[in-house]
Amino acid sequence: MKLLSNTKISILILILITLFTIFFRQSIHSENSIYQNYDATYHALLTVKALDETPISQHHFLPIVSLGDDADKHIRWGATIPDKYGNYYYTSFPLGGFIFPYAVFKFFNLDVSVDNLFIVSSFILLLSVLIIFIFAKDISKYLNPLYDANKPALLVSIIYLFSMETLYSHGYIYWGHSLMQPIFIFFLYLVFKILTKKMKVYNLFLLLIFSFLLGFTEWSGYLIVFGTMIVLIFSSLSKREKYFYISACAMGGAIALAVFILDFISVVDTSTFFHALESRFFARNFTTNIPISLLFYKYWESYNIFLLLLPLAIILIFFDKKAIQKEKIYTLFLLLIIILFGLLENIVMKQHAIAYNFDRLKFLPLFALLMPILWSTKSKAFKQISILIILTASIYTTAQYPELRITKNEALEKNQLFVNNDKFKKECKPCIMGIAPAVRGYTNLLFNRGIYEGVNIERLQNIALKNNKCACYINVRGIGGGGMIQVLGYKKIKIQDIEIFATTRAYNLTDRNWVKGVSRKSTGFFVSNISKNAKKYQVGARVKFINNEIRTIKKITVSANYINIFVDGKPLDGMKVGHPNKIEVIKE
């Protein structure tokens, strides 16, 4: 144990343990692995590829999801908004989480792949662990200069490495929350230095820069910055110091928000942008009908046995009054308030924190306060119990990791064989493509295309006609959350076949208002809105149905995709004259 007193040796051990966790996860991963929240990884990869394929003059480094080919434009993707070029942008998260991997991939000329993004995530993990080691070590020194600070710092780092959330969300799952971790931990370390030392000019500039980076990377960064401003008010700093540090925080956060808003409104419609922000907030905020108890359960899933260190530290503070001086406890309390402001975002946006595990990563810096507290006591029992908890939890999470959020499905490998099939590439490469479920990054990257989502064959036919292109309808089924699919086959739709089909039959829709494209309540039917139909169906023209009944067109209404045609006489029987029966215009 004396070896651990040497900081260089402790860091070397820490790097080796970090490499072990990286290679451990890599050894379990395969091409057929499907992870919970895998959509985040593929979304990030899609944005990296889209940023690279589209001119900067168009995307301005915004989170674009439209690939670079002309055929990939004007295709909606989830909750996104378009620009004038037909590119679609994701507005739900700040820019930093996308720009960083793009910059790394671009600088090192890396292929856009899950394995390469894992390398980027592993670098972020190593950086986070080294920073939290230094942070925890300095706190330990601050609380009790007589004890070896390397040991509690190393234990904090082990907690960081072996928490269930780190194993998943600092590995094959990547999102902006992973990138925020080293920024957040260093920010806390910086505030700790400010609270315990006199003001220095470089600390002022660092606080401004990292306040900006927090907001630029993740929404909870703004809450963290706001919490820090409150903490600085109640600190023991002089009024002059408080003024400058609070101003630096406010300026950093304001610049981050201004960059986000101004960059977006320089590319997309302003009202559409703000409406999209509003709708995404209300879709996932605390008003959603999800019990808050589920969020606490999810935190237990992420940190399980490690959470026992929290009550242990509280017991020590209350019952070992001599362990830590009151003014030092107050400093830790101020740091705790900042961490809690970051966690407040998980309550405000609880639906996201429950559905996406990486949103709970920001709990980890709390352990950098807990372990130094537990190590500040003279009681060996507290230290031994804390070590036992950490070892037990680390072994448990390592054993549980392969099964908790990972499934294996050979469909992923078969999908690659399918898209590389020469016949499929020959028939479908020049065509537009569509699928029935929602499209996420995996599907786009699999086909290396923009894909129309939520369409049936007839809807895809209508789109094909408008674009004057053939179409391939891809038959798929879901094999997990986040848009992971299994490709079952495809149907080629030729443009000449679509024209005959669409101009002579009612649209195939049956619901409470329509029967096979014929109105249940009025004397109307509807067809696809294509140029030939617009010319063919005119007021005054006469139409003949399959039952030889002839009617005169009295009224026509037109929408983006359909033409509603109303004829004289009594309501039509959709079962008799609706899709796929022929409708013939006999007089124009």
Side-chain angles (χ1 to χ4, degrees):
M1 292 294 288
K2 290 183 179 181
L3 286 174
L4 297 180
S5 300
N6 187 307
T7 299
K8 291 181 180 178
I9 292 176
S10 294
I11 291 175
L12 177 60
I13 292 171
L14 182 57
I15 292 172
L16 291 174
I17 297 172
T18 305
L19 291 175
F20 164 77
T21 67
I22 292 170
F23 290 126
F24 165 68
R25 285 171 288 173
Q26 189 178 43
S27 68
I28 292 170
H29 176 76
S30 74
E31 294 299 321
N32 291 318
S33 296
I34 300 176
Y35 297 80
Q36 191 176 347
N37 300 153
Y38 218 12
D39 52 317
T41 297
Y42 279 103
H43 184 161
L45 287 171
L46 174 63
T47 299
V48 168
K49 187 173 177 64
L51 285 168
D52 188 49
E53 292 183 355
T54 305
I56 296 173
S57 60
Q58 290 184 23
H59 62 62
H60 294 194
F61 296 105
L62 293 174
I64 185 173
V65 293
S66 301
L67 295 173
D69 195 271
D70 288 342
D72 299 318
K73 308 304 181 182
H74 303 283
I75 301 176
R76 180 175 291 278
W77 191 98
T80 56
I81 56 176
D83 66 7
K84 62 182 179 181
Y85 302 103
N87 298 307
Y88 277 82
Y89 300 91
Y90 192 67
T91 60
S92 295
F93 282 91
L95 316 180
F98 302 100
I99 293 175
F100 175 76
Y102 164 71
V104 174
F105 275 67
K106 191 76 173 174
F107 182 81
F108 291 101
N109 196 27
L110 299 174
D111 293 331
V112 177
S113 70
V114 170
D115 288 332
N116 284 334
L117 190 56
F118 175 73
I119 294 172
V120 175
S121 294
S122 298
F123 168 76
I124 295 170
L125 170 63
L126 180 59
L127 185 61
S128 301
V129 169
L130 290 174
I131 296 172
I132 206 167
F133 174 85
I134 296 168
F135 179 36
K137 181 180 176 182
D138 274 25
I139 289 179
S140 296
K141 284 182 179 178
Y142 172 71
L143 293 182
N144 197 327
L146 299 177
Y147 291 143
D148 181 10
N150 284 314
K151 293 173 185 176
L154 188 59
L155 288 171
V156 169
S157 303
I158 290 172
I159 294 169
Y160 196 104
L161 286 169
F162 288 96
S163 76
M164 193 67 76
E165 212 45 72
T166 301
L167 291 174
Y168 282 104
S169 301
H170 261 315
Y172 283 97
I173 303 302
Y174 170 84
W175 199 243
H177 300 73
S178 309
L179 179 62
M180 193 190 79
Q181 284 298 107
I183 299 170
F184 182 27
I185 299 166
F186 184 83
F187 180 84
L188 285 169
Y189 179 53
L190 180 61
V191 174
F192 169 68
K193 288 291 188 182
I194 290 170
L195 293 174
T196 55
K197 293 186 177 181
K198 292 183 179 180
M199 185 175 74
K200 295 181 180 178
V201 174
Y202 67 83
N203 281 342
L204 195 64
F205 284 106
L206 283 175
L207 193 64
L208 188 152
I209 291 169
F210 276 83
S211 294
F212 165 80
L213 289 175
L214 280 170
F216 189 66
T217 305
E218 217 281 294
W219 293 124
S220 55
Y222 291 105
L223 285 172
I224 291 166
V225 171
F226 180 70
T228 303
M229 293 166 66
I230 293 174
V231 160
L232 289 169
I233 292 173
F234 291 98
S235 71
S236 59
L237 298 173
S238 67
K239 287 185 178 180
R240 178 173 174 272
E241 288 174 323
K242 289 178 182 180
Y243 172 78
F244 282 110
Y245 284 129
I246 290 172
S247 298
C249 286
M251 189 177 298
I255 293 172
L257 187 60
V259 168
F260 178 78
I261 294 173
L262 294 176
D263 199 12
F264 257 107
I265 63 177
S266 71
V267 172
V268 302
D269 177 71
T270 303
S271 61
T272 303
F273 167 65
F274 284 109
H275 177 73
L277 282 183
E278 180 185 9
S279 63
R280 297 315 298 157
F281 173 77
F282 283 106
R284 287 177 167 171
N285 69 16
F286 59 88
T287 62
T288 53
N289 189 25
I290 300 174
I292 196 70
S293 58
L294 184 56
L295 177 61
F296 293 112
Y297 169 77
K298 286 293 184 177
Y299 267 102
W300 174 257
E301 181 188 281
S302 294
Y303 300 104
N304 51 75
I305 305 172
F306 287 121
L307 293 176
L308 297 178
L309 295 170
L310 180 57
L312 202 63
I314 293 172
I315 290 170
L316 177 64
I317 291 171
F318 279 98
F319 291 97
D320 192 348
K321 303 289 186 181
K322 296 180 180 179
I324 310 172
Q325 298 173 11
K326 287 184 179 180
E327 65 271 16
K328 294 182 177 180
I329 284 291
Y330 184 68
T331 300
L332 296 191
F333 176 73
L334 294 178
L335 293 175
L336 173 64
I337 294 299
I338 297 173
I339 294 172
L340 291 178
F341 264 88
L343 297 175
L344 180 62
E345 189 262 353
N346 284 174
I347 297 174
V348 174
M349 304 292 286
K350 64 178 180 179
Q351 187 271 349
H352 191 272
I354 290 169
Y356 288 95
N357 306 292
F358 47 73
D359 207 357
R360 303 189 291 273
L361 275 173
K362 48 185 172 277
F363 186 86
L364 281 164
L366 181 62
F367 292 105
L369 308 183
L370 297 182
M371 280 311 301
I373 289 173
L374 290 170
W375 217 258
S376 63
T377 180
K378 293 181 179 180
S379 171
K380 291 184 178 180
F382 274 98
K383 297 177 182 179
Q384 291 170 347
I385 292 171
S386 62
I387 291 172
L388 180 62
I389 289 172
I390 292 168
L391 291 177
T392 303
S394 299
I395 294 169
Y396 173 77
T397 54
T398 304
Q400 289 293 309
Y401 166 77
E403 298 178 2
L404 185 61
R405 302 176 192 165
I406 308 174
T407 58
K408 303 284 186 179
N409 197 312
E410 293 181 359
L412 299 190
E413 189 173 355
K414 291 178 180 178
N415 288 347
Q416 290 294 336
L417 294 174
F418 178 90
V419 298
N420 291 326
N421 179 272
D422 289 337
K423 181 183 177 183
F424 172 76
K425 288 194 290 186
K426 182 179 179 181
E427 290 196 347
C428 290
K429 187 175 181 180
C431 303
I432 64 172
M433 296 183 189
I435 64 172
V439 169
R440 290 297 176 263
Y442 172 76
T443 309
N444 293 120
L445 293 173
L446 175 66
F447 291 98
N448 195 28
R449 295 286 297 276
I451 309 287
Y452 288 91
E453 65 178 4
V455 297
N456 56 23
I457 291 179
E458 289 201 13
R459 172 72 180 119
L460 188 62
Q461 289 170 342
N462 192 35
I463 296 169
L465 282 169
K466 282 183 173 294
N467 289 275
N468 195 31
K469 280 192 171 186
C470 60
C472 275
Y473 183 78
I474 312 299
N475 187 20
V476 303
R477 71 178 183 89
I479 53 172
M484 303 304 295
I485 60 167
Q486 177 182 358
V487 181
L488 303 176
Y490 70 97
K491 181 178 181 180
K492 174 73 176 287
I493 305 166
K494 297 178 182 178
I495 191 73
Q496 59 267 31
D497 295 337
I498 302 172
E499 290 177 342
I500 296 169
F501 186 80
T503 56
T504 59
R505 292 164 172 80
Y507 203 88
N508 186 19
L509 174 67
T510 298
D511 60 16
R512 64 180 182 178
N513 297 315
W514 304 92
V515 178
K516 297 184 176 182
V518 176
S519 175
R520 292 181 183 271
K521 299 177 182 179
S522 67
T523 58
F525 62 95
F526 74 101
V527 296
S528 300
N529 182 11
I530 58 174
S531 59
K532 288 191 175 183
N533 279 350
K535 293 177 182 178
K536 193 176 182 72
Y537 293 99
Q538 298 288 333
V539 173
R542 300 174 69 203
V543 292
K544 182 180 179 181
F545 297 97
I546 190 68
N547 60 358
N548 294 320
E549 194 173 345
I550 298 175
R551 303 284 189 96
T552 301
I553 299 175
K554 293 295 185 181
K555 179 183 175 182
I556 289 176
T557 61
V558 180
S559 66
N561 299 314
Y562 311 112
I563 301 174
N564 293 281
I565 302 153
F566 301 91
V567 297
D568 62 352
K570 61 183 181 180
L572 300 165
D573 186 346
M575 295 301 295
K576 293 181 178 179
V577 302
H579 182 90
N581 297 305
K582 184 178 179 180
I583 300 173
E584 183 182 357
V585 178
I586 59 174
K587 182 181 178 181
E588 304 196 21

